[in-house]
Amino acid sequence: MSAAVTFASAPVLAQEHGLDLSAGKPPPTGTGMLVTGSIMTGVGAVNLLTSPLCKTSMVPRDTQDVCLGTSLVIGGALTAVGVPLLLVGISRHNNYVEWKRQHRALAALTDVSIAPTRGGAALTWNASF
């Protein structure tokens, strides 16, 4: 169940509320992009760094070229996608931190999270006064 109460000095159209960030709606945190970009970049870098192992005696001679090519293509693709995700995620996170600094009262309301407990989970709210 959820409830919302809005106080406004003038009538506001519901469609206009989502467009104005100064009205208090927080920008994206960038956490999803940071996590995805970190994972993709890490896996891609490990794939690229271990690709020379394909040319050792650990891999049969007839599959060494396929192994090297596959490692380079997959590692390069993951890294090429992961790095931009990281950069955009960092930018979004910086915008969120700046918004949080400028809107301390509203930011305190967004510090709600879920914490694991012995019997399940608990809803927590973090605030400082």
Side-chain angles (χ1 to χ4, degrees):
M1 178 180 359
S2 68
V5 178
T6 304
F7 298 100
S9 59
V12 179
L13 295 175
Q15 297 164 342
E16 292 177 350
H17 184 281
L19 299 174
D20 187 15
L21 289 179
S22 65
K25 182 179 177 187
T29 61
T31 304
M33 287 186 155
L34 285 172
V35 170
T36 306
S38 297
I39 291 170
M40 292 180 83
T41 302
V43 171
V46 167
N47 214 343
L48 288 173
L49 292 173
T50 59
S51 63
L53 294 175
C54 291
K55 289 293 191 175
T56 64
S57 60
M58 293 173 27
V59 178
R61 231 180 246 291
D62 58 337
T63 59
Q64 286 182 355
D65 291 334
V66 173
C67 174
L68 181 64
T70 304
S71 292
L72 292 175
V73 168
I74 291 173
L78 287 173
T79 304
V81 173
V83 170
L85 280 173
L86 271 174
L87 295 175
V88 172
I90 289 169
S91 174
R92 285 188 177 184
H93 186 71
N94 288 341
N95 290 341
Y96 177 73
V97 169
E98 180 63 24
W99 174 87
K100 210 170 171 181
R101 190 182 64 73
Q102 291 176 355
H103 300 87
R104 291 186 192 272
L106 289 173
L109 298 174
T110 64
D111 286 337
V112 177
S113 61
I114 297 176
T117 62
R118 187 174 282 257
L123 186 64
T124 63
W125 176 51
N126 183 20
S128 58
F129 302 94

